[in-house]
PDB file of all heavy atoms in Angstrom:
ATOM      1  N   THR A   1      -8.965  -3.948  -1.934  1.00  0.00           N
ATOM      2  CA  THR A   1      -8.250  -2.737  -1.529  1.00  0.00           C
ATOM      3  C   THR A   1      -7.075  -3.146  -0.645  1.00  0.00           C
ATOM      4  O   THR A   1      -7.253  -3.885   0.325  1.00  0.00           O
ATOM      5  CB  THR A   1      -9.181  -1.776  -0.757  1.00  0.00           C
ATOM      6  OG1 THR A   1     -10.268  -1.417  -1.608  1.00  0.00           O
ATOM      7  CG2 THR A   1      -8.433  -0.523  -0.331  1.00  0.00           C
ATOM      8  N   ILE A   2      -5.895  -2.658  -1.017  1.00  0.00           N
ATOM      9  CA  ILE A   2      -4.666  -3.015  -0.313  1.00  0.00           C
ATOM     10  C   ILE A   2      -3.942  -1.754   0.138  1.00  0.00           C
ATOM     11  O   ILE A   2      -3.753  -0.831  -0.646  1.00  0.00           O
ATOM     12  CB  ILE A   2      -3.723  -3.831  -1.224  1.00  0.00           C
ATOM     13  CG1 ILE A   2      -4.401  -5.139  -1.665  1.00  0.00           C
ATOM     14  CG2 ILE A   2      -2.385  -4.113  -0.517  1.00  0.00           C
ATOM     15  CD1 ILE A   2      -3.609  -5.939  -2.690  1.00  0.00           C
ATOM     16  N   VAL A   3      -3.546  -1.730   1.409  1.00  0.00           N
ATOM     17  CA  VAL A   3      -2.636  -0.697   1.899  1.00  0.00           C
ATOM     18  C   VAL A   3      -1.257  -1.350   1.955  1.00  0.00           C
ATOM     19  O   VAL A   3      -1.074  -2.371   2.614  1.00  0.00           O
ATOM     20  CB  VAL A   3      -3.059  -0.152   3.277  1.00  0.00           C
ATOM     21  CG1 VAL A   3      -1.966   0.761   3.850  1.00  0.00           C
ATOM     22  CG2 VAL A   3      -4.370   0.618   3.166  1.00  0.00           C
ATOM     23  N   LEU A   4      -0.327  -0.757   1.225  1.00  0.00           N
ATOM     24  CA  LEU A   4       1.047  -1.255   1.134  1.00  0.00           C
ATOM     25  C   LEU A   4       1.966  -0.273   1.844  1.00  0.00           C
ATOM     26  O   LEU A   4       2.015   0.904   1.481  1.00  0.00           O
ATOM     27  CB  LEU A   4       1.446  -1.394  -0.342  1.00  0.00           C
ATOM     28  CG  LEU A   4       2.912  -1.642  -0.655  1.00  0.00           C
ATOM     29  CD1 LEU A   4       3.371  -2.987  -0.109  1.00  0.00           C
ATOM     30  CD2 LEU A   4       3.146  -1.566  -2.160  1.00  0.00           C
ATOM     31  N   VAL A   5       2.672  -0.739   2.870  1.00  0.00           N
ATOM     32  CA  VAL A   5       3.559   0.126   3.642  1.00  0.00           C
ATOM     33  C   VAL A   5       4.989  -0.389   3.480  1.00  0.00           C
ATOM     34  O   VAL A   5       5.318  -1.472   3.969  1.00  0.00           O
ATOM     35  CB  VAL A   5       3.166   0.161   5.132  1.00  0.00           C
ATOM     36  CG1 VAL A   5       4.011   1.197   5.872  1.00  0.00           C
ATOM     37  CG2 VAL A   5       1.677   0.459   5.291  1.00  0.00           C
ATOM     38  N   GLU A   6       5.797   0.377   2.774  1.00  0.00           N
ATOM     39  CA  GLU A   6       7.182  -0.008   2.468  1.00  0.00           C
ATOM     40  C   GLU A   6       8.006   1.260   2.333  1.00  0.00           C
ATOM     41  O   GLU A   6       7.640   2.150   1.571  1.00  0.00           O
ATOM     42  CB  GLU A   6       7.197  -0.834   1.177  1.00  0.00           C
ATOM     43  CG  GLU A   6       8.536  -1.063   0.539  1.00  0.00           C
ATOM     44  CD  GLU A   6       9.518  -1.830   1.413  1.00  0.00           C
ATOM     45  OE1 GLU A   6       9.334  -3.040   1.603  1.00  0.00           O
ATOM     46  OE2 GLU A   6      10.473  -1.200   1.912  1.00  0.00           O
ATOM     47  N   ASP A   7       9.102   1.359   3.087  1.00  0.00           N
ATOM     48  CA  ASP A   7       9.888   2.589   3.049  1.00  0.00           C
ATOM     49  C   ASP A   7      10.852   2.664   1.875  1.00  0.00           C
ATOM     50  O   ASP A   7      11.287   3.746   1.508  1.00  0.00           O
ATOM     51  CB  ASP A   7      10.631   2.817   4.375  1.00  0.00           C
ATOM     52  CG  ASP A   7      11.613   1.712   4.708  1.00  0.00           C
ATOM     53  OD1 ASP A   7      11.307   0.534   4.428  1.00  0.00           O
ATOM     54  OD2 ASP A   7      12.670   2.015   5.278  1.00  0.00           O
ATOM     55  N   ASP A   8      11.165   1.527   1.254  1.00  0.00           N
ATOM     56  CA  ASP A   8      12.058   1.553   0.094  1.00  0.00           C
ATOM     57  C   ASP A   8      11.244   1.910  -1.158  1.00  0.00           C
ATOM     58  O   ASP A   8      10.344   1.153  -1.544  1.00  0.00           O
ATOM     59  CB  ASP A   8      12.731   0.194  -0.095  1.00  0.00           C
ATOM     60  CG  ASP A   8      13.615   0.173  -1.330  1.00  0.00           C
ATOM     61  OD1 ASP A   8      14.642   0.867  -1.326  1.00  0.00           O
ATOM     62  OD2 ASP A   8      13.239  -0.510  -2.304  1.00  0.00           O
ATOM     63  N   PRO A   9      11.540   3.065  -1.790  1.00  0.00           N
ATOM     64  CA  PRO A   9      10.724   3.522  -2.926  1.00  0.00           C
ATOM     65  C   PRO A   9      10.648   2.524  -4.081  1.00  0.00           C
ATOM     66  O   PRO A   9       9.582   2.321  -4.652  1.00  0.00           O
ATOM     67  CB  PRO A   9      11.397   4.820  -3.381  1.00  0.00           C
ATOM     68  CG  PRO A   9      12.214   5.267  -2.215  1.00  0.00           C
ATOM     69  CD  PRO A   9      12.595   4.022  -1.458  1.00  0.00           C
ATOM     70  N   ALA A  10      11.757   1.882  -4.416  1.00  0.00           N
ATOM     71  CA  ALA A  10      11.760   0.939  -5.543  1.00  0.00           C
ATOM     72  C   ALA A  10      10.890  -0.283  -5.226  1.00  0.00           C
ATOM     73  O   ALA A  10      10.099  -0.728  -6.069  1.00  0.00           O
ATOM     74  CB  ALA A  10      13.183   0.518  -5.875  1.00  0.00           C
ATOM     75  N   SER A  11      11.031  -0.816  -4.020  1.00  0.00           N
ATOM     76  CA  SER A  11      10.207  -1.968  -3.619  1.00  0.00           C
ATOM     77  C   SER A  11       8.731  -1.596  -3.573  1.00  0.00           C
ATOM     78  O   SER A  11       7.876  -2.350  -4.022  1.00  0.00           O
ATOM     79  CB  SER A  11      10.631  -2.480  -2.236  1.00  0.00           C
ATOM     80  OG  SER A  11      11.938  -2.972  -2.273  1.00  0.00           O
ATOM     81  N   ARG A  12       8.447  -0.427  -3.000  1.00  0.00           N
ATOM     82  CA  ARG A  12       7.061   0.046  -2.890  1.00  0.00           C
ATOM     83  C   ARG A  12       6.434   0.162  -4.275  1.00  0.00           C
ATOM     84  O   ARG A  12       5.326  -0.317  -4.509  1.00  0.00           O
ATOM     85  CB  ARG A  12       7.026   1.384  -2.151  1.00  0.00           C
ATOM     86  CG  ARG A  12       5.645   1.888  -1.840  1.00  0.00           C
ATOM     87  CD  ARG A  12       5.651   3.106  -0.930  1.00  0.00           C
ATOM     88  NE  ARG A  12       6.358   4.245  -1.494  1.00  0.00           N
ATOM     89  CZ  ARG A  12       7.488   4.765  -1.009  1.00  0.00           C
ATOM     90  NH1 ARG A  12       8.053   4.259   0.073  1.00  0.00           N
ATOM     91  NH2 ARG A  12       8.049   5.804  -1.584  1.00  0.00           N
ATOM     92  N   GLN A  13       7.160   0.765  -5.200  1.00  0.00           N
ATOM     93  CA  GLN A  13       6.626   0.965  -6.545  1.00  0.00           C
ATOM     94  C   GLN A  13       6.438  -0.364  -7.286  1.00  0.00           C
ATOM     95  O   GLN A  13       5.405  -0.583  -7.912  1.00  0.00           O
ATOM     96  CB  GLN A  13       7.544   1.884  -7.352  1.00  0.00           C
ATOM     97  CG  GLN A  13       7.004   2.196  -8.729  1.00  0.00           C
ATOM     98  CD  GLN A  13       7.891   3.163  -9.499  1.00  0.00           C
ATOM     99  OE1 GLN A  13       8.997   3.471  -9.091  1.00  0.00           O
ATOM    100  NE2 GLN A  13       7.392   3.630 -10.620  1.00  0.00           N
ATOM    101  N   SER A  14       7.417  -1.258  -7.199  1.00  0.00           N
ATOM    102  CA  SER A  14       7.306  -2.515  -7.946  1.00  0.00           C
ATOM    103  C   SER A  14       6.188  -3.393  -7.384  1.00  0.00           C
ATOM    104  O   SER A  14       5.427  -3.989  -8.146  1.00  0.00           O
ATOM    105  CB  SER A  14       8.637  -3.270  -7.988  1.00  0.00           C
ATOM    106  OG  SER A  14       9.023  -3.686  -6.712  1.00  0.00           O
ATOM    107  N   LEU A  15       6.054  -3.449  -6.047  1.00  0.00           N
ATOM    108  CA  LEU A  15       4.968  -4.236  -5.469  1.00  0.00           C
ATOM    109  C   LEU A  15       3.606  -3.631  -5.820  1.00  0.00           C
ATOM    110  O   LEU A  15       2.665  -4.358  -6.148  1.00  0.00           O
ATOM    111  CB  LEU A  15       5.116  -4.329  -3.949  1.00  0.00           C
ATOM    112  CG  LEU A  15       6.177  -5.293  -3.435  1.00  0.00           C
ATOM    113  CD1 LEU A  15       6.334  -5.157  -1.920  1.00  0.00           C
ATOM    114  CD2 LEU A  15       5.851  -6.724  -3.804  1.00  0.00           C
ATOM    115  N   ALA A  16       3.496  -2.321  -5.757  1.00  0.00           N
ATOM    116  CA  ALA A  16       2.231  -1.663  -6.114  1.00  0.00           C
ATOM    117  C   ALA A  16       1.856  -1.959  -7.567  1.00  0.00           C
ATOM    118  O   ALA A  16       0.693  -2.262  -7.860  1.00  0.00           O
ATOM    119  CB  ALA A  16       2.329  -0.156  -5.885  1.00  0.00           C
ATOM    120  N   MET A  17       2.843  -1.916  -8.461  1.00  0.00           N
ATOM    121  CA  MET A  17       2.562  -2.192  -9.881  1.00  0.00           C
ATOM    122  C   MET A  17       2.067  -3.622 -10.080  1.00  0.00           C
ATOM    123  O   MET A  17       1.116  -3.858 -10.834  1.00  0.00           O
ATOM    124  CB  MET A  17       3.804  -1.934 -10.734  1.00  0.00           C
ATOM    125  CG  MET A  17       4.061  -0.454 -10.960  1.00  0.00           C
ATOM    126  SD  MET A  17       5.618  -0.105 -11.836  1.00  0.00           S
ATOM    127  CE  MET A  17       5.637  -1.307 -13.127  1.00  0.00           C
ATOM    128  N   VAL A  18       2.697  -4.582  -9.415  1.00  0.00           N
ATOM    129  CA  VAL A  18       2.285  -5.986  -9.531  1.00  0.00           C
ATOM    130  C   VAL A  18       0.850  -6.155  -9.032  1.00  0.00           C
ATOM    131  O   VAL A  18       0.012  -6.775  -9.698  1.00  0.00           O
ATOM    132  CB  VAL A  18       3.241  -6.915  -8.739  1.00  0.00           C
ATOM    133  CG1 VAL A  18       2.652  -8.303  -8.573  1.00  0.00           C
ATOM    134  CG2 VAL A  18       4.601  -6.968  -9.413  1.00  0.00           C
ATOM    135  N   LEU A  19       0.555  -5.601  -7.866  1.00  0.00           N
ATOM    136  CA  LEU A  19      -0.777  -5.745  -7.283  1.00  0.00           C
ATOM    137  C   LEU A  19      -1.839  -5.050  -8.135  1.00  0.00           C
ATOM    138  O   LEU A  19      -2.930  -5.591  -8.348  1.00  0.00           O
ATOM    139  CB  LEU A  19      -0.776  -5.206  -5.852  1.00  0.00           C
ATOM    140  CG  LEU A  19       0.156  -5.958  -4.885  1.00  0.00           C
ATOM    141  CD1 LEU A  19       0.335  -5.165  -3.604  1.00  0.00           C
ATOM    142  CD2 LEU A  19      -0.351  -7.357  -4.605  1.00  0.00           C
ATOM    143  N   GLU A  20      -1.512  -3.867  -8.637  1.00  0.00           N
ATOM    144  CA  GLU A  20      -2.455  -3.145  -9.505  1.00  0.00           C
ATOM    145  C   GLU A  20      -2.678  -3.888 -10.821  1.00  0.00           C
ATOM    146  O   GLU A  20      -3.785  -3.891 -11.358  1.00  0.00           O
ATOM    147  CB  GLU A  20      -1.959  -1.725  -9.761  1.00  0.00           C
ATOM    148  CG  GLU A  20      -2.120  -0.839  -8.523  1.00  0.00           C
ATOM    149  CD  GLU A  20      -1.405   0.499  -8.639  1.00  0.00           C
ATOM    150  OE1 GLU A  20      -0.547   0.668  -9.538  1.00  0.00           O
ATOM    151  OE2 GLU A  20      -1.691   1.377  -7.790  1.00  0.00           O
ATOM    152  N   SER A  21      -1.647  -4.542 -11.331  1.00  0.00           N
ATOM    153  CA  SER A  21      -1.796  -5.292 -12.584  1.00  0.00           C
ATOM    154  C   SER A  21      -2.740  -6.482 -12.407  1.00  0.00           C
ATOM    155  O   SER A  21      -3.281  -6.996 -13.377  1.00  0.00           O
ATOM    156  CB  SER A  21      -0.439  -5.767 -13.105  1.00  0.00           C
ATOM    157  OG  SER A  21       0.040  -6.858 -12.338  1.00  0.00           O
ATOM    158  N   GLU A  22      -2.947  -6.899 -11.149  1.00  0.00           N
ATOM    159  CA  GLU A  22      -3.891  -7.982 -10.850  1.00  0.00           C
ATOM    160  C   GLU A  22      -5.275  -7.439 -10.501  1.00  0.00           C
ATOM    161  O   GLU A  22      -6.152  -8.185 -10.090  1.00  0.00           O
ATOM    162  CB  GLU A  22      -3.359  -8.843  -9.695  1.00  0.00           C
ATOM    163  CG  GLU A  22      -2.142  -9.660 -10.054  1.00  0.00           C
ATOM    164  CD  GLU A  22      -2.442 -10.796 -11.033  1.00  0.00           C
ATOM    165  OE1 GLU A  22      -3.610 -11.202 -11.161  1.00  0.00           O
ATOM    166  OE2 GLU A  22      -1.485 -11.270 -11.674  1.00  0.00           O
ATOM    167  N   GLY A  23      -5.451  -6.112 -10.618  1.00  0.00           N
ATOM    168  CA  GLY A  23      -6.764  -5.508 -10.421  1.00  0.00           C
ATOM    169  C   GLY A  23      -7.000  -4.862  -9.074  1.00  0.00           C
ATOM    170  O   GLY A  23      -8.068  -4.321  -8.820  1.00  0.00           O
ATOM    171  N   ALA A  24      -6.017  -4.908  -8.176  1.00  0.00           N
ATOM    172  CA  ALA A  24      -6.200  -4.342  -6.839  1.00  0.00           C
ATOM    173  C   ALA A  24      -6.150  -2.822  -6.861  1.00  0.00           C
ATOM    174  O   ALA A  24      -5.486  -2.221  -7.707  1.00  0.00           O
ATOM    175  CB  ALA A  24      -5.117  -4.866  -5.895  1.00  0.00           C
ATOM    176  N   ARG A  25      -6.837  -2.227  -5.904  1.00  0.00           N
ATOM    177  CA  ARG A  25      -6.707  -0.793  -5.638  1.00  0.00           C
ATOM    178  C   ARG A  25      -5.650  -0.686  -4.544  1.00  0.00           C
ATOM    179  O   ARG A  25      -5.858  -1.195  -3.428  1.00  0.00           O
ATOM    180  CB  ARG A  25      -8.032  -0.219  -5.152  1.00  0.00           C
ATOM    181  CG  ARG A  25      -7.917   1.220  -4.697  1.00  0.00           C
ATOM    182  CD  ARG A  25      -9.255   1.732  -4.174  1.00  0.00           C
ATOM    183  NE  ARG A  25      -9.061   3.064  -3.636  1.00  0.00           N
ATOM    184  CZ  ARG A  25      -9.624   3.493  -2.526  1.00  0.00           C
ATOM    185  NH1 ARG A  25     -10.443   2.721  -1.841  1.00  0.00           N
ATOM    186  NH2 ARG A  25      -9.404   4.714  -2.100  1.00  0.00           N
ATOM    187  N   VAL A  26      -4.520  -0.066  -4.857  1.00  0.00           N
ATOM    188  CA  VAL A  26      -3.402  -0.011  -3.917  1.00  0.00           C
ATOM    189  C   VAL A  26      -3.174   1.414  -3.443  1.00  0.00           C
ATOM    190  O   VAL A  26      -3.085   2.337  -4.244  1.00  0.00           O
ATOM    191  CB  VAL A  26      -2.100  -0.548  -4.566  1.00  0.00           C
ATOM    192  CG1 VAL A  26      -0.935  -0.456  -3.593  1.00  0.00           C
ATOM    193  CG2 VAL A  26      -2.289  -1.983  -5.050  1.00  0.00           C
ATOM    194  N   VAL A  27      -3.095   1.575  -2.120  1.00  0.00           N
ATOM    195  CA  VAL A  27      -2.693   2.839  -1.527  1.00  0.00           C
ATOM    196  C   VAL A  27      -1.345   2.558  -0.870  1.00  0.00           C
ATOM    197  O   VAL A  27      -1.247   1.733   0.038  1.00  0.00           O
ATOM    198  CB  VAL A  27      -3.723   3.329  -0.489  1.00  0.00           C
ATOM    199  CG1 VAL A  27      -3.223   4.597   0.192  1.00  0.00           C
ATOM    200  CG2 VAL A  27      -5.070   3.565  -1.159  1.00  0.00           C
ATOM    201  N   ALA A  28      -0.300   3.212  -1.387  1.00  0.00           N
ATOM    202  CA  ALA A  28       1.051   2.963  -0.899  1.00  0.00           C
ATOM    203  C   ALA A  28       1.484   4.055   0.067  1.00  0.00           C
ATOM    204  O   ALA A  28       1.194   5.233  -0.142  1.00  0.00           O
ATOM    205  CB  ALA A  28       2.014   2.877  -2.078  1.00  0.00           C
ATOM    206  N   ALA A  29       2.178   3.638   1.129  1.00  0.00           N
ATOM    207  CA  ALA A  29       2.681   4.575   2.133  1.00  0.00           C
ATOM    208  C   ALA A  29       4.140   4.240   2.430  1.00  0.00           C
ATOM    209  O   ALA A  29       4.547   3.086   2.357  1.00  0.00           O
ATOM    210  CB  ALA A  29       1.854   4.463   3.407  1.00  0.00           C
ATOM    211  N   ALA A  30       4.904   5.274   2.785  1.00  0.00           N
ATOM    212  CA  ALA A  30       6.339   5.101   3.022  1.00  0.00           C
ATOM    213  C   ALA A  30       6.686   4.880   4.493  1.00  0.00           C
ATOM    214  O   ALA A  30       7.815   4.537   4.816  1.00  0.00           O
ATOM    215  CB  ALA A  30       7.104   6.302   2.483  1.00  0.00           C
ATOM    216  N   ASP A  31       5.725   5.078   5.398  1.00  0.00           N
ATOM    217  CA  ASP A  31       6.022   4.897   6.819  1.00  0.00           C
ATOM    218  C   ASP A  31       4.772   4.432   7.570  1.00  0.00           C
ATOM    219  O   ASP A  31       3.670   4.456   7.029  1.00  0.00           O
ATOM    220  CB  ASP A  31       6.591   6.179   7.439  1.00  0.00           C
ATOM    221  CG  ASP A  31       5.650   7.360   7.321  1.00  0.00           C
ATOM    222  OD1 ASP A  31       4.454   7.234   7.681  1.00  0.00           O
ATOM    223  OD2 ASP A  31       6.097   8.426   6.871  1.00  0.00           O
ATOM    224  N   ALA A  32       4.973   4.007   8.809  1.00  0.00           N
ATOM    225  CA  ALA A  32       3.871   3.435   9.595  1.00  0.00           C
ATOM    226  C   ALA A  32       2.762   4.451   9.856  1.00  0.00           C
ATOM    227  O   ALA A  32       1.582   4.103   9.832  1.00  0.00           O
ATOM    228  CB  ALA A  32       4.406   2.875  10.916  1.00  0.00           C
ATOM    229  N   GLU A  33       3.119   5.694  10.100  1.00  0.00           N
ATOM    230  CA  GLU A  33       2.094   6.698  10.408  1.00  0.00           C
ATOM    231  C   GLU A  33       1.157   6.911   9.212  1.00  0.00           C
ATOM    232  O   GLU A  33      -0.064   6.913   9.361  1.00  0.00           O
ATOM    233  CB  GLU A  33       2.751   8.008  10.834  1.00  0.00           C
ATOM    234  CG  GLU A  33       1.824   8.921  11.607  1.00  0.00           C
ATOM    235  CD  GLU A  33       1.212   8.292  12.862  1.00  0.00           C
ATOM    236  OE1 GLU A  33       1.939   7.740  13.692  1.00  0.00           O
ATOM    237  OE2 GLU A  33      -0.024   8.374  12.995  1.00  0.00           O
ATOM    238  N   ALA A  34       1.730   7.079   8.018  1.00  0.00           N
ATOM    239  CA  ALA A  34       0.901   7.227   6.812  1.00  0.00           C
ATOM    240  C   ALA A  34       0.136   5.935   6.524  1.00  0.00           C
ATOM    241  O   ALA A  34      -1.007   5.966   6.072  1.00  0.00           O
ATOM    242  CB  ALA A  34       1.770   7.612   5.617  1.00  0.00           C
ATOM    243  N   GLY A  35       0.770   4.812   6.797  1.00  0.00           N
ATOM    244  CA  GLY A  35       0.117   3.519   6.565  1.00  0.00           C
ATOM    245  C   GLY A  35      -1.076   3.304   7.474  1.00  0.00           C
ATOM    246  O   GLY A  35      -2.136   2.863   7.023  1.00  0.00           O
ATOM    247  N   ILE A  36      -0.932   3.619   8.752  1.00  0.00           N
ATOM    248  CA  ILE A  36      -2.056   3.430   9.675  1.00  0.00           C
ATOM    249  C   ILE A  36      -3.174   4.415   9.356  1.00  0.00           C
ATOM    250  O   ILE A  36      -4.352   4.075   9.419  1.00  0.00           O
ATOM    251  CB  ILE A  36      -1.630   3.491  11.163  1.00  0.00           C
ATOM    252  CG1 ILE A  36      -2.739   2.949  12.057  1.00  0.00           C
ATOM    253  CG2 ILE A  36      -1.256   4.878  11.616  1.00  0.00           C
ATOM    254  CD1 ILE A  36      -3.089   1.509  11.854  1.00  0.00           C
ATOM    255  N   GLU A  37      -2.820   5.625   8.967  1.00  0.00           N
ATOM    256  CA  GLU A  37      -3.835   6.610   8.578  1.00  0.00           C
ATOM    257  C   GLU A  37      -4.655   6.085   7.394  1.00  0.00           C
ATOM    258  O   GLU A  37      -5.883   6.137   7.405  1.00  0.00           O
ATOM    259  CB  GLU A  37      -3.142   7.921   8.208  1.00  0.00           C
ATOM    260  CG  GLU A  37      -4.076   9.099   8.091  1.00  0.00           C
ATOM    261  CD  GLU A  37      -3.294  10.389   7.857  1.00  0.00           C
ATOM    262  OE1 GLU A  37      -2.481  10.763   8.725  1.00  0.00           O
ATOM    263  OE2 GLU A  37      -3.517  10.988   6.795  1.00  0.00           O
ATOM    264  N   ALA A  38      -3.961   5.554   6.386  1.00  0.00           N
ATOM    265  CA  ALA A  38      -4.651   4.998   5.209  1.00  0.00           C
ATOM    266  C   ALA A  38      -5.505   3.798   5.609  1.00  0.00           C
ATOM    267  O   ALA A  38      -6.658   3.668   5.175  1.00  0.00           O
ATOM    268  CB  ALA A  38      -3.641   4.600   4.142  1.00  0.00           C
ATOM    269  N   ALA A  39      -4.958   2.925   6.451  1.00  0.00           N
ATOM    270  CA  ALA A  39      -5.697   1.724   6.849  1.00  0.00           C
ATOM    271  C   ALA A  39      -6.942   2.074   7.670  1.00  0.00           C
ATOM    272  O   ALA A  39      -7.998   1.468   7.480  1.00  0.00           O
ATOM    273  CB  ALA A  39      -4.779   0.794   7.640  1.00  0.00           C
ATOM    274  N   LEU A  40      -6.841   3.064   8.551  1.00  0.00           N
ATOM    275  CA  LEU A  40      -8.003   3.447   9.357  1.00  0.00           C
ATOM    276  C   LEU A  40      -9.059   4.134   8.501  1.00  0.00           C
ATOM    277  O   LEU A  40     -10.256   3.964   8.720  1.00  0.00           O
ATOM    278  CB  LEU A  40      -7.584   4.338  10.522  1.00  0.00           C
ATOM    279  CG  LEU A  40      -6.642   3.693  11.551  1.00  0.00           C
ATOM    280  CD1 LEU A  40      -6.337   4.677  12.674  1.00  0.00           C
ATOM    281  CD2 LEU A  40      -7.188   2.390  12.099  1.00  0.00           C
ATOM    282  N   ASP A  41      -8.626   4.905   7.501  1.00  0.00           N
ATOM    283  CA  ASP A  41      -9.567   5.582   6.597  1.00  0.00           C
ATOM    284  C   ASP A  41     -10.282   4.606   5.674  1.00  0.00           C
ATOM    285  O   ASP A  41     -11.471   4.731   5.431  1.00  0.00           O
ATOM    286  CB  ASP A  41      -8.839   6.622   5.735  1.00  0.00           C
ATOM    287  CG  ASP A  41      -8.470   7.875   6.505  1.00  0.00           C
ATOM    288  OD1 ASP A  41      -8.931   8.048   7.648  1.00  0.00           O
ATOM    289  OD2 ASP A  41      -7.697   8.686   5.952  1.00  0.00           O
ATOM    290  N   LEU A  42      -9.528   3.637   5.132  1.00  0.00           N
ATOM    291  CA  LEU A  42     -10.053   2.781   4.071  1.00  0.00           C
ATOM    292  C   LEU A  42     -10.664   1.464   4.538  1.00  0.00           C
ATOM    293  O   LEU A  42     -11.431   0.862   3.793  1.00  0.00           O
ATOM    294  CB  LEU A  42      -8.934   2.447   3.072  1.00  0.00           C
ATOM    295  CG  LEU A  42      -8.325   3.615   2.319  1.00  0.00           C
ATOM    296  CD1 LEU A  42      -7.087   3.156   1.567  1.00  0.00           C
ATOM    297  CD2 LEU A  42      -9.347   4.205   1.365  1.00  0.00           C
ATOM    298  N   ALA A  43     -10.272   0.993   5.728  1.00  0.00           N
ATOM    299  CA  ALA A  43     -10.650  -0.358   6.168  1.00  0.00           C
ATOM    300  C   ALA A  43     -10.371  -1.337   5.024  1.00  0.00           C
ATOM    301  O   ALA A  43     -11.275  -1.965   4.474  1.00  0.00           O
ATOM    302  CB  ALA A  43     -12.112  -0.411   6.595  1.00  0.00           C
ATOM    303  N   PRO A  44      -9.092  -1.485   4.636  1.00  0.00           N
ATOM    304  CA  PRO A  44      -8.744  -2.297   3.465  1.00  0.00           C
ATOM    305  C   PRO A  44      -8.967  -3.790   3.687  1.00  0.00           C
ATOM    306  O   PRO A  44      -9.097  -4.249   4.825  1.00  0.00           O
ATOM    307  CB  PRO A  44      -7.244  -2.010   3.295  1.00  0.00           C
ATOM    308  CG  PRO A  44      -6.769  -1.751   4.684  1.00  0.00           C
ATOM    309  CD  PRO A  44      -7.913  -1.002   5.344  1.00  0.00           C
ATOM    310  N   ASP A  45      -8.991  -4.511   2.576  1.00  0.00           N
ATOM    311  CA  ASP A  45      -9.081  -5.967   2.642  1.00  0.00           C
ATOM    312  C   ASP A  45      -7.750  -6.558   3.089  1.00  0.00           C
ATOM    313  O   ASP A  45      -7.709  -7.582   3.773  1.00  0.00           O
ATOM    314  CB  ASP A  45      -9.424  -6.535   1.256  1.00  0.00           C
ATOM    315  CG  ASP A  45     -10.723  -5.974   0.725  1.00  0.00           C
ATOM    316  OD1 ASP A  45     -11.766  -6.236   1.348  1.00  0.00           O
ATOM    317  OD2 ASP A  45     -10.690  -5.253  -0.286  1.00  0.00           O
ATOM    318  N   VAL A  46      -6.654  -5.896   2.669  1.00  0.00           N
ATOM    319  CA  VAL A  46      -5.310  -6.422   2.893  1.00  0.00           C
ATOM    320  C   VAL A  46      -4.375  -5.288   3.308  1.00  0.00           C
ATOM    321  O   VAL A  46      -4.458  -4.183   2.770  1.00  0.00           O
ATOM    322  CB  VAL A  46      -4.746  -7.074   1.603  1.00  0.00           C
ATOM    323  CG1 VAL A  46      -3.335  -7.609   1.820  1.00  0.00           C
ATOM    324  CG2 VAL A  46      -5.667  -8.178   1.095  1.00  0.00           C
ATOM    325  N   VAL A  47      -3.479  -5.593   4.253  1.00  0.00           N
ATOM    326  CA  VAL A  47      -2.392  -4.687   4.602  1.00  0.00           C
ATOM    327  C   VAL A  47      -1.092  -5.465   4.414  1.00  0.00           C
ATOM    328  O   VAL A  47      -0.940  -6.560   4.972  1.00  0.00           O
ATOM    329  CB  VAL A  47      -2.491  -4.186   6.058  1.00  0.00           C
ATOM    330  CG1 VAL A  47      -1.257  -3.383   6.441  1.00  0.00           C
ATOM    331  CG2 VAL A  47      -3.746  -3.344   6.245  1.00  0.00           C
ATOM    332  N   ILE A  48      -0.203  -4.923   3.602  1.00  0.00           N
ATOM    333  CA  ILE A  48       1.126  -5.501   3.418  1.00  0.00           C
ATOM    334  C   ILE A  48       2.085  -4.502   4.031  1.00  0.00           C
ATOM    335  O   ILE A  48       2.092  -3.336   3.640  1.00  0.00           O
ATOM    336  CB  ILE A  48       1.450  -5.707   1.924  1.00  0.00           C
ATOM    337  CG1 ILE A  48       0.410  -6.620   1.279  1.00  0.00           C
ATOM    338  CG2 ILE A  48       2.869  -6.267   1.758  1.00  0.00           C
ATOM    339  CD1 ILE A  48       0.491  -6.656  -0.239  1.00  0.00           C
TER     340      ILE A  48
END
């Protein structure tokens, strides 16, 4: 499980697609507040 926090929509989408193509469950967020909320809820394996 990966929480990906990136404000650039194109970068966020392309990185999420790459990670998902490798089998990861990706939750993408556009800002730190949404990212920390996702990370605290999910306790992910990885935060990018």
Side-chain angles (χ1 to χ4, degrees):
T1 300
I2 299 174
V3 171
L4 169 65
V5 187
E6 167 62 72
D7 61 323
D8 177 68
S11 296
R12 187 171 60 246
Q13 183 177 10
S14 65
L15 284 173
M17 284 174 43
V18 166
L19 297 167
E20 287 169 345
S21 75
E22 291 290 340
R25 173 182 175 221
V26 179
V27 176
D31 59 50
E33 200 56 51
I36 194 63
E37 193 174 299
L40 297 181
D41 285 350
L42 297 170
D45 302 296
V46 179
V47 173
I48 302 169

